[in-house]
Amino acid sequence: MSDRSSFQQARGDTPLLAERFAALHPPFSRQAVLPEANRCLFCFDAPCTTACPTHIDVPRFIKKIATGNLAGSARTILDANILGGSCARACPVEVLCEGACVMHRYNKQPIQIARLQRFAIDALYDSGAPLPFEPGPDRGQTVALIGAGPASLACAAELRRKGICATIYDERALPGGLNTYGVAEYKLPLKESLREIEMLAELGVEFRFGTAVDATALADLEHTHDAVFLGLGLGAVHRLGIAGEKLAGVTDALDFIAGYKSGQVLSAPARVAVIGAGNTAIDAAIAAVRLGAKTVHLLYRRGPEQMSAFSFEYEHAKQEGVRFLWHVQTIGIQGTGHVKALTLVELVPSADGSLVPQSGSQFMLDCDLVLLAIGQSTHTDRLGLATDGAPKVQLERGRVLIDHATGQTSHPKFFAGGDCTNGGREVVDAVADGKRAGIGIAAWLEAQHPHG
Ligand code: SF4
């Protein structure tokens, strides 16, 4: 039985979220969408399509918008990327499809592909029509998918279209993984993530929420299903390993983001420090500003050239008022019961190129909240061991090794995709992985048990 109704009820737009986290890029109006669609050159070998990890046929869906065929446009998008709605909001299009648009060659603004895509998908969702796909004829086969993030969702949709039962297990109360809990609300609102997944439930994808799958449970699922897909995502945020880290007010940035998105965190204290310089750090820092912090500092051991956040995210954070402290290392966390300040030291390059503390450069930064965004561990400890004592699936640096053409792991019955295989990339990469694995699983099952 689907749990769809339970997450429908969980949707909700708190006034705070609507007011503080208004969409970064507002939707197109009907008047504005046609001129933009008609600007597209409908390139034959469209570089925008090549740049999209899910290879959405961009000129085709834009052409359909231009000719008033919005349902056909949505179908073109969803056929390639079942999470086309969330990707239209969350994708870093500046470095993907829009970054590849030929308009750059003519010194013109690239076509606003993401906003056009969002227009077509929102029109479908707002119409109340179901997804434009039917489940395939039942093949009597079942697949368990571990984790309800984008990789598993895309894999499950592909399996359902091929007539294979797909049951997704997740320890959290809501599906969507980072789409629901981790993408900044001004990019992808939680309610939009859930609305998209409700559409998938119409395909017959089953959900089991609040179900943590440990090694024992995984072994059971292996025996009761024809295949298993590992969409585990990543685990806890790394800790600094210094004194004071257990003080109240020191927490991980992803928990902070999930907290405000789900309505449990309603404000930020006056002084916030974010440690790390990836996209999660930027999202957390901007959220702290929007939740009322007076000063938000982002601290990083290196310089702006080395930060892993996209440069447009960095520019956005500066516009929002985030302050950056480069070449600093946190060496202490001060407070009694609750964090009061960080002890920082400036770093300089040594003769061998490594960064070392500069003597006499130590200083304090007062803060009431410290958000850690320094990378995440993996969940692969949950996989358990095979009968010979070796890991159930082959790992490399904590990541699940897969055949990139099929998503199959070293254990033929196990497939995998998304962050647990790539260490943490974009939502659209997880969708591409999940879709590929869905096709791979169906082909493998067909080879094991030919039907018809
Ligand atoms: Fe249209 Fe730009 Fe893609 Fe060409 S590259 S099809 S102009 S969006």
Side-chain angles (χ1 to χ4, degrees):
M1 190 187 76
S2 165
D3 286 342
R4 184 162 65 94
S5 58
S6 69
F7 58 85
Q8 271 181 326
Q9 287 158 12
R11 278 169 49 173
D13 223 355
T14 68
L16 174 95
L17 285 180
E19 179 194 320
R20 301 269 177 90
F21 293 89
L24 200 56
H25 304 293
F28 270 131
S29 65
R30 284 200 170 263
Q31 293 73 25
V33 78
L34 277 183
E36 184 64 8
N38 281 314
R39 253 189 356 109
C40 178
L41 302 177
F42 309 114
C43 306
F44 181 65
D45 280 326
C48 48
T49 292
T50 307
C52 171
T54 59
H55 302 307
I56 292 174
D57 190 335
V58 174
R60 187 175 173 86
F61 95 70
I62 294 179
K63 186 77 179 173
K64 288 181 177 177
I65 292 175
T67 55
N69 179 7
L70 287 182
S73 179
R75 186 186 171 97
T76 297
I77 296 161
L78 295 169
D79 196 33
N81 180 338
I82 201 73
L83 300 187
S86 54
C87 286
R89 290 173 162 86
C91 264
V93 289
E94 294 85 343
V95 295
L96 294 173
C97 56
E98 292 183 17
C101 178
V102 296
M103 289 296 186
H104 290 287
R105 289 185 212 158
Y106 309 120
N107 286 325
K108 292 186 175 165
Q109 286 294 315
I111 303 299
Q112 296 182 64
I113 299 168
R115 290 178 76 198
L116 290 169
Q117 181 169 318
R118 178 178 162 189
F119 186 86
I121 298 291
D122 282 355
L124 174 78
Y125 291 172
D126 293 344
S127 74
L131 280 178
F133 312 112
E134 295 285 326
D138 185 12
R139 288 169 52 164
Q141 294 162 329
T142 65
V143 175
L145 301 100
I146 318 301
S152 287
L153 293 169
C155 182
E158 199 60 40
L159 293 169
R160 292 302 301 131
R161 291 178 71 180
K162 293 180 168 18
I164 298 168
C165 291
T167 306
I168 297 180
Y169 298 82
D170 197 287
E171 63 190 348
R172 300 184 97 154
L174 294 172
L178 282 182
N179 268 13
T180 297
Y181 289 106
V183 179
E185 188 74 8
Y186 49 82
K187 295 180 196 163
L188 175 58
L190 178 143
K191 70 184 177 93
E192 292 298 337
S193 170
L194 297 182
R195 178 165 81 154
E196 182 173 55
I197 301 164
E198 284 164 8
M199 303 284 284
L200 288 187
E202 304 282 355
L203 272 180
V205 177
E206 301 272 335
F207 293 94
R208 301 282 182 270
F209 300 126
T211 310
V213 177
D214 59 13
T216 307
L218 188 63
D220 286 346
L221 292 173
E222 179 185 349
H223 288 115
T224 53
H225 291 74
D226 296 290
V228 176
F229 175 78
L230 303 171
L232 304 170
L234 293 175
V237 167
H238 293 311
R239 308 298 289 185
L240 293 166
I242 58 175
E245 221 168 346
K246 292 213 164 68
L247 288 171
V250 180
T251 187
D252 87 46
L254 279 171
D255 284 348
F256 177 71
I257 293 170
Y260 86 76
K261 282 178 72 79
S262 56
Q264 285 156 12
V265 173
L266 301 174
S267 63
R271 301 162 303 184
V272 176
V274 183
I275 303 178
N279 293 313
T280 297
I282 297 272
D283 284 353
I286 292 173
V289 171
R290 293 190 177 202
L291 288 166
K294 296 274 183 294
T295 58
V296 178
H297 285 98
L298 194 144
L299 319 176
Y300 184 44
R301 297 178 78 250
R302 300 176 186 278
E305 315 76 34
Q306 287 91 22
M307 69 191 299
S308 59
F310 294 119
S311 55
F312 59 87
E313 297 280 19
Y314 171 41
E315 293 303 322
H316 178 206
K318 284 195 289 187
Q319 286 164 16
E320 295 264 348
V322 176
R323 302 175 191 180
F324 290 79
L325 289 178
W326 305 114
H327 304 291
V328 294
Q329 182 173 6
T330 306
I331 56 171
I333 304 177
Q334 319 302 326
T336 308
H338 196 284
V339 64
K340 285 264 187 306
L342 294 176
T343 308
L344 306 173
V345 66
E346 291 178 22
L347 297 175
V348 289
S350 66
D352 67 4
S354 61
L355 293 170
V356 294
Q358 184 169 35
S359 70
S361 67
Q362 198 167 310
F363 66 104
M364 305 281 278
L365 179 71
D366 292 340
C367 55
D368 313 299
L369 176 66
V370 177
L371 300 173
L372 303 177
I374 49 175
Q376 290 172 263
S377 60
T378 58
H379 276 314
T380 44
D381 53 317
R382 298 180 178 186
L383 296 176
L385 303 173
T387 47
D388 62 358
K392 191 180 286 284
V393 299
Q394 205 178 338
L395 306 175
E396 189 176 77
R397 289 183 293 129
R399 299 176 191 177
V400 178
L401 270 183
I402 55 170
D403 173 337
H404 287 281
T406 63
Q408 195 165 33
T409 70
S410 58
H411 185 314
K413 200 169 175 177
F414 281 74
F415 292 72
D419 288 355
C420 71
T421 63
N422 62 33
R425 293 180 68 185
E426 300 303 323
V427 170
V428 68
D429 294 298
V431 174
D433 280 0
K435 181 181 175 184
R436 204 176 298 125
I439 295 167
I441 292 170
W444 182 73
L445 290 177
E446 177 66 21
Q448 308 301 303
H449 313 286
H451 73 293

Short mmCIF file of all heavy atoms in Angstrom, two decimals, residues 40-43 46-48 58-59 62 100-103 111 113, ligand 1:
data_model
loop_
_atom_site.label_atom_id
_atom_site.label_comp_id
_atom_site.label_asym_id
_atom_site.label_seq_id
_atom_site.Cartn_x
_atom_site.Cartn_y
_atom_site.Cartn_z
N CYS A 40 14.88 30.40 -28.76
CA CYS A 40 15.71 29.20 -28.95
C CYS A 40 15.94 28.95 -30.44
O CYS A 40 15.04 29.13 -31.26
CB CYS A 40 15.01 28.01 -28.30
SG CYS A 40 15.90 26.46 -28.49
N LEU A 41 17.15 28.55 -30.79
CA LEU A 41 17.50 28.29 -32.19
C LEU A 41 17.19 26.85 -32.58
O LEU A 41 17.43 26.46 -33.72
CB LEU A 41 19.00 28.58 -32.41
CG LEU A 41 19.44 30.00 -32.07
CD1 LEU A 41 20.94 30.15 -32.24
CD2 LEU A 41 18.69 31.02 -32.92
N PHE A 42 16.72 26.05 -31.62
CA PHE A 42 16.38 24.64 -31.86
C PHE A 42 17.54 23.93 -32.58
O PHE A 42 17.38 23.33 -33.64
CB PHE A 42 15.06 24.51 -32.64
CG PHE A 42 13.95 25.32 -32.03
CD1 PHE A 42 13.40 26.41 -32.70
CD2 PHE A 42 13.48 25.03 -30.75
CE1 PHE A 42 12.40 27.19 -32.12
CE2 PHE A 42 12.49 25.81 -30.16
CZ PHE A 42 11.94 26.89 -30.84
N CYS A 43 18.69 24.03 -31.96
CA CYS A 43 19.92 23.50 -32.56
C CYS A 43 19.78 22.00 -32.86
O CYS A 43 19.18 21.26 -32.08
CB CYS A 43 21.10 23.70 -31.63
SG CYS A 43 21.30 25.40 -31.09
N ALA A 46 22.17 19.73 -30.30
CA ALA A 46 22.04 20.73 -29.23
C ALA A 46 23.04 20.48 -28.10
O ALA A 46 22.96 19.45 -27.43
CB ALA A 46 20.62 20.70 -28.69
N PRO A 47 23.95 21.42 -27.85
CA PRO A 47 24.91 21.23 -26.76
C PRO A 47 24.26 21.23 -25.38
O PRO A 47 24.78 20.66 -24.44
CB PRO A 47 25.88 22.41 -26.92
CG PRO A 47 25.15 23.42 -27.73
CD PRO A 47 24.19 22.68 -28.59
N CYS A 48 23.10 21.88 -25.28
CA CYS A 48 22.39 21.90 -23.99
C CYS A 48 21.96 20.49 -23.61
O CYS A 48 22.03 20.09 -22.45
CB CYS A 48 21.19 22.83 -24.07
SG CYS A 48 20.16 22.56 -25.53
N VAL A 58 16.28 19.16 -25.06
CA VAL A 58 15.92 20.55 -24.74
C VAL A 58 15.22 21.25 -25.92
O VAL A 58 14.14 21.82 -25.75
CB VAL A 58 17.16 21.33 -24.25
CG1 VAL A 58 16.82 22.81 -24.04
CG2 VAL A 58 17.68 20.72 -22.95
N PRO A 59 15.81 21.25 -27.14
CA PRO A 59 15.11 21.97 -28.22
C PRO A 59 13.72 21.41 -28.48
O PRO A 59 12.79 22.15 -28.82
CB PRO A 59 16.03 21.79 -29.43
CG PRO A 59 17.03 20.75 -29.06
CD PRO A 59 17.11 20.74 -27.57
N ILE A 62 11.33 22.71 -25.76
CA ILE A 62 11.10 24.15 -25.92
C ILE A 62 10.21 24.40 -27.15
O ILE A 62 9.30 25.24 -27.13
CB ILE A 62 12.44 24.92 -26.03
CG1 ILE A 62 13.20 24.83 -24.69
CG2 ILE A 62 12.19 26.38 -26.39
CD1 ILE A 62 14.54 25.54 -24.67
N ALA A 100 26.03 25.68 -21.58
CA ALA A 100 26.44 25.15 -22.90
C ALA A 100 25.68 25.80 -24.05
O ALA A 100 26.00 25.53 -25.22
CB ALA A 100 26.23 23.63 -22.93
N CYS A 101 24.69 26.62 -23.76
CA CYS A 101 23.82 27.18 -24.81
C CYS A 101 24.65 27.99 -25.83
O CYS A 101 25.53 28.77 -25.46
CB CYS A 101 22.76 28.07 -24.18
SG CYS A 101 21.66 28.86 -25.37
N VAL A 102 24.35 27.79 -27.11
CA VAL A 102 25.12 28.46 -28.17
C VAL A 102 24.99 29.98 -28.12
O VAL A 102 25.79 30.69 -28.72
CB VAL A 102 24.70 27.97 -29.58
CG1 VAL A 102 25.02 26.51 -29.77
CG2 VAL A 102 23.24 28.26 -29.84
N MET A 103 23.98 30.48 -27.42
CA MET A 103 23.80 31.93 -27.34
C MET A 103 25.04 32.62 -26.77
O MET A 103 25.32 33.77 -27.08
CB MET A 103 22.57 32.26 -26.47
CG MET A 103 21.26 31.91 -27.13
SD MET A 103 21.01 32.90 -28.63
CE MET A 103 19.35 32.43 -29.08
N ILE A 111 19.48 30.81 -23.37
CA ILE A 111 18.05 30.54 -23.21
C ILE A 111 17.80 30.11 -21.77
O ILE A 111 18.57 29.32 -21.20
CB ILE A 111 17.58 29.42 -24.18
CG1 ILE A 111 17.91 29.80 -25.63
CG2 ILE A 111 16.10 29.12 -24.00
CD1 ILE A 111 17.25 31.06 -26.12
N ILE A 113 16.58 27.88 -19.92
CA ILE A 113 16.07 26.51 -20.06
C ILE A 113 15.36 26.06 -18.78
O ILE A 113 14.28 25.46 -18.83
CB ILE A 113 17.23 25.56 -20.40
CG1 ILE A 113 17.87 25.97 -21.73
CG2 ILE A 113 16.75 24.11 -20.46
CD1 ILE A 113 19.20 25.28 -22.03
FE1 SF4 B 1 18.14 26.35 -27.76
FE2 SF4 B 1 20.48 27.13 -26.61
FE3 SF4 B 1 19.83 24.52 -26.66
FE4 SF4 B 1 20.47 25.77 -28.97
S1 SF4 B 1 21.84 25.40 -27.20
S2 SF4 B 1 18.74 24.33 -28.61
S3 SF4 B 1 19.65 27.83 -28.56
S4 SF4 B 1 18.71 26.17 -25.60
#
